[in-house]
Structures are given as structure tokens and as C-alpha cells.
Amino acid sequence: MAKPSARPAQPAAACRVCGGTVSAFLDLGRQPLSDAFRKPDETAQEFSFPLVVGNCRDCSMTQLLHEVPRERMFHAEYPYRSSGSTTMTAHFTAVAERFLAHELGGADPFIVEIGSNDGVMLRTVAAAGVRHLGVDPSSGVGLTAQHGGVRVRDDFFQESTARDIAATEGRADVIYAANTFCHIPYVDSIFAGIDALLRPDGIFVFEDPYIGDILDRRSFDQIYDEHFYFFSATSVRAMARNFGFELVDVERLEVHGGEVRYTLARPGRRRADARVAALLDAEAHRGLAGPEPYERFAREVYAIREDLRTLLTGLREQGVRVVGYGATAKSATVNNFCGIGPDLVETVYDTTPEKQGRLTPGTHIPVAPMAGFRADPAPYALLYAWNHETEILAKESAFREAGGRWIRYVPEVRVD
Ligand code: SAH
Ligand code: TYD
Ligand code: ZN
């Protein structure tokens, strides 16, 4: 378990967006790759890196101080499947329908998605017969997308990829990225690519976890290797300007524990919605550019760790069984920061075939198919997939009715 010191060992680094100074505010210790589920017989030493997060004093972008090489995270075996949640599937169907209705009605429209994963959004576009291309380096998930009728390029999106697509397929009306742009440290190359690939009136739309919600909900488990940036309207506006784009819309979303969908366009091409100024004002009002909210957050996170460890070790001492629900990437941060292994949580249940039969990264809790959660119920379940709570509580009502209790750790440790 990482030492409970409030002072990150590495206090500062250069901002990946503006080159300014990033001050560290939370050190979550050495962490494994959050989606590297180990085979039980694997013996190789696990890769680990220091998970430290900071905020840029100059452009206000919250970001990691250490970058994990992208090929370690995104490859043929990458296990995350976007369609694993019915709520997210419905969300992305609605996104596609909106693009089809409002942005893709012209002659020969074309949409490119960065991080298309298993095709959860683009399959609706494909079914409508509209020209599209998904770009994703994780070829296993890409294959699933292709089976769903989606065209995928097995590649990292960056300037060279974008230029090549523009040369062979023409420019795009919409470039979209969900839960992916925040994974990409090299924003200069991304913006150069967007500039090369986007039509003059086109839009770049991306949605990612919102730093305002992370601070409010104390969702420290949103911080892991893949989540490099934690956007705000303030930091996104500065970044967009820096690379010749304008922030023209922001929409708050409830998915994944609170996100914002940002729309960028070339300057003067689209009228900025009043929501942009409103969110910028709200962020200024709560002091998001300064250090206080981040320092408070760090104190709250250390308190959560104490409370969660006290609860779990107390249950273990009483011989009470605890299981985990959802082998999320987020849970790697919780388990490794709080020192939670199979002694405290005996099994984590998950619907993803690629995770089942494996061990969670770092602390090696066995991952088992969801059927076991119902067949062999434990009295307590730690809800790692808290962002899917509505969906999960609805289908698992029998657990509570039989006397089972859910453990939450955000925004505080709670049993009910
Ligand atoms: N859009 C989906 C998937 C999010 S997971 C959703 O919201 O559920 C992030 C995805 O981004 C992974 O499939 C990963 O392979 C992909 N990815 C990571 N870096 C990328 C890059 N540089 N270009 C394109 N895709 C990338
Ligand atoms: P998610 O919270 O979407 O993302 P991340 O891995 O980025 O933190 O992951 C949800 C995980 O929980 C995924 O492995 C699938 C699993 N899951 C279930 O097992 N049952 C469910 O009902 C849902 C919604 C998810
Ligand atoms: Zn900066």
C-alpha cells in the first residue's frame, strides 16, 4: 500500500498541453496497468508506474505526471468492451442518432470516431448506410466492431493517421471521441490531425469524465494509467485556442459518474452556445484554476482509504465474506492504493469473458463470471462499478432482498 503521505514525491512536471508547470496534488503510489488482468499461471513481473496527478498553474489542465507507453495499454488483448452496459449502449445509440439527424444530412457525409472500441456508436451509423470510419489500436475490440458492420482502421489516431485518412477518404463532417481523448497525452498531434481531417465547417466532439464531478464525488478511482487528462471547460477552452479551435458547446452528462461533452469548431464557424460561458463562470466561481479544490480532494481521498480499510479489515476479523462487483479499470486504483487483495475481497464478479478466470492487476483478486454472484451470495458486495449503479441495482434487487449489503466508497464509505 502506498504510504499515506499528503506530499507527492514528485512535486512538479511540465504540462503536456501548454508547457507550463503542473503541481502534483495526489500521489496514488505505484500502480499496475489498470486493464492488465493476469492469467493465474503468469509469473512475469508486473509492469508498474507512479500514479501522480497534478494541475497546471498556467492552463489549469489536470493531468498525470507520468505517461505509460501507449502500446502497453492498447493492443490486441485490450479487454474493455463498451457494450458491456445497456445504459452505455443506449447512450451511444442516441449519440449516433443525433449526429445522423443534425450533422450528417449533407451530400456524402463522413464521420470518423477515435476509439471506436466494439462499435457501440458507429454500428447505428453503419446501419443507416452513412460513410464512417472507426480508428482504434485495440484490434480485438475492433474485430467485434467489424462483425457489427463497422469499418475500422487498426491504428492509433495521430497526425499521420489523420492525413492518410483525409487523402484516401476525404474530409470528415464530424470527428467524435468518447472516453478516449482523455487517454491521449499527445494532444498536439491530435489537433494537427483534426485540422487535416475536418471539413471547414466540421465539428470535433468529445466526451470524458469531468474534473468538477470527480472533485464533487471524490471519485479518485477515475485516476488510472489510461485517464491521462481530466478536462474542465476552462482547460479545454485554453487547449482549443492553443491549437486554433474554439469551444462552442458543453453538455453535462450523467454517464460514467459525470462527464462533459465538448464541441470544438474552427473559430467563427459556429455560434457558441450560452452553456459555454455558464460553465466557465461556474468553474471560476468554485476556484477550479487554483490549488484549493485539489488539495481538499486529496485529503478526502486519504480519509476514504482509511475508512474503507477499517471497514474491510473489520469484516475480515469477524470472518464475514466480501466480494467485488465489476472488475473495472477504476478498481485497480482502489485496490492498489488501499491495499485490497483476496484477503479482503475474495472474488470480483464481472460479465466480460476476457477478464474472467484472470486476476485483478496488482493485488490479484480472482475474477469470476457473474453467475457466481447469484449462486454463492456473500453478505457484502463492494460496488466497484458504481458508475453503473442504476443498471446494476435494478437487475440485482434479489441480492438486497436476501439480506445482502452494498459497500460504496465514493463519495464516502457507506454500507446499505
Ligand atoms: N468510445 C468507447 C471506448 C472507450 S475505451 C466508449 O466510450 O466506451 C478507449 C478506447 O480508445 C480503447 O478502445 C482504445 O483502444 C482506444 N484508443 C486509445 N488510444 C487511442 C488513439 N490514439 N487513437 C484511437 N483510439 C485509441
Ligand atoms: P466501466 O465502469 O464501464 O469502465 P472502466 O473499466 O473504464 O472503469 O467498467 C464496467 C465493468 O463492469 C466492465 O468490466 C463490465 C462490468 N459490468 C458488469 O460486470 N456488470 C454490469 O452490469 C455492468 C454494467 C458492468
Ligand atoms: Zn498547461
Side-chain angles (χ1 to χ4, degrees):
M1 193 172 81
K3 280 220 295 291
S5 123
R7 284 268 152 257
Q10 181 184 354
C15 175
R16 283 297 258 122
V17 180
C18 80
T21 306
V22 177
S23 314
F25 60 84
L26 179 61
D27 186 342
L28 292 158
R30 285 201 81 82
Q31 292 277 342
L33 301 170
S34 61
D35 267 312
F37 290 83
R38 261 167 99 81
K39 294 191 186 113
D41 57 359
E42 228 165 290
T43 50
Q45 167 110 33
E46 253 172 309
F47 174 84
S48 74
F49 73 103
L51 183 60
V52 184
V53 63
N55 183 258
C56 178
R57 289 180 208 148
D58 299 278
C59 74
S60 148
M61 183 69 84
T62 302
Q63 59 199 275
L64 300 189
L65 275 74
H66 298 269
E67 194 176 325
V68 171
R70 61 189 191 175
E71 290 80 7
R72 282 195 179 272
M73 298 185 282
F74 310 115
H75 44 68
E77 315 274 286
Y78 181 69
Y80 182 74
R81 297 284 183 279
S82 304
S83 302
S85 150
T86 51
T87 313
M88 292 314 301
T89 301
H91 172 83
F92 288 121
T93 303
V95 169
E97 282 166 354
R98 214 168 88 172
F99 284 143
L100 287 168
H102 298 292
E103 301 291 339
L104 301 171
D108 194 25
F110 181 38
I111 176 168
V112 173
E113 183 176 16
I114 308 173
S116 44
N117 198 268
D118 62 4
V120 67
M121 194 284 281
L122 281 180
R123 64 185 171 230
T124 303
V125 175
V130 167
R131 216 151 59 81
H132 64 274
L133 183 67
V135 182
D136 201 304
S138 298
S139 54
V141 294
L143 222 52
T144 309
Q146 285 172 21
H147 290 146
V150 172
R151 282 186 64 229
V152 185
R153 177 176 172 136
D154 171 9
D155 224 336
F156 286 95
F157 189 91
Q158 56 192 8
E159 183 178 356
S160 55
T161 321
R163 287 197 180 283
D164 191 47
I165 297 169
T168 52
E169 315 216 14
R171 293 196 175 212
D173 301 271
V174 177
I175 301 175
Y176 176 68
N179 306 297
T180 300
F181 193 29
C182 76
H183 293 49
I184 308 180
Y186 38 100
V187 288
D188 45 351
S189 176
I190 298 298
F191 275 104
I194 301 282
D195 195 35
L197 182 56
L198 198 64
R199 285 184 178 155
D201 287 320
I203 48 173
F204 173 36
V205 181
F206 55 97
E207 52 192 73
D208 290 286
Y210 179 50
I211 185 66
D213 289 317
I214 293 173
L215 297 176
D216 289 343
R217 301 174 197 202
R218 303 178 191 145
S219 41
F220 66 98
D221 55 348
Q222 292 282 14
I223 306 165
Y224 55 89
D225 54 351
E226 294 169 22
H227 285 177
F228 190 84
Y229 292 114
F230 304 88
F231 298 137
S232 62
T234 310
S235 60
V236 166
R237 182 180 60 164
M239 173 171 67
R241 278 187 177 162
N242 197 24
F243 293 106
F245 285 84
E246 186 184 357
L247 176 61
V248 296
D249 203 2
V250 288
E251 290 165 76
R252 301 289 293 265
L253 307 172
E254 256 315 308
V255 296
H256 286 313
E259 301 204 324
V260 170
R261 178 182 297 146
Y262 305 90
T263 302
L264 271 45
R266 289 198 172 80
R269 293 291 185 151
R270 300 258 175 151
R271 201 166 49 81
D273 193 279
R275 288 185 286 214
V276 176
L279 190 56
L280 288 167
D281 282 352
E283 290 178 359
H285 189 70
R286 62 180 290 179
L288 267 198
E292 292 82 14
Y294 306 98
E295 286 168 3
R296 188 182 333 117
F297 171 76
R299 289 193 297 274
E300 291 164 348
V301 170
Y302 287 115
I304 288 176
R305 172 164 73 173
E306 282 308 303
D307 292 350
L308 186 56
R309 279 200 60 82
T310 304
L311 174 68
L312 294 177
T313 52
L315 289 170
R316 179 182 56 191
E317 274 151 30
Q318 295 166 45
V320 178
R321 294 172 56 214
V322 179
V323 298
Y325 198 103
T328 59
K330 293 183 287 295
S331 70
T333 295
V334 179
N335 291 335
N336 290 279
F337 179 60
C338 301
I340 301 171
D343 55 327
L344 295 178
V345 170
E346 62 177 46
T347 306
V348 182
Y349 293 106
D350 195 285
T351 52
T352 315
E354 289 78 4
K355 297 181 184 178
Q356 295 162 357
R358 301 205 174 208
L359 305 175
T360 63
T363 67
H364 302 171
I365 305 172
V367 181
M370 200 47 85
F373 178 74
R374 289 152 211 154
D376 179 23
Y380 287 84
L382 182 54
L383 186 58
Y384 290 118
W386 56 265
N387 47 311
H388 301 296
E389 172 176 314
T390 310
E391 180 176 341
I392 291 169
L393 265 51
K395 70 180 166 197
E396 302 295 356
S397 56
F399 171 68
R400 258 209 106 323
E401 283 155 17
R405 302 178 79 189
W406 293 103
I407 300 172
R408 264 66 154 224
Y409 51 86
V410 291
E412 68 249 316
V413 175
R414 191 157 56 86
V415 177
D416 67 17

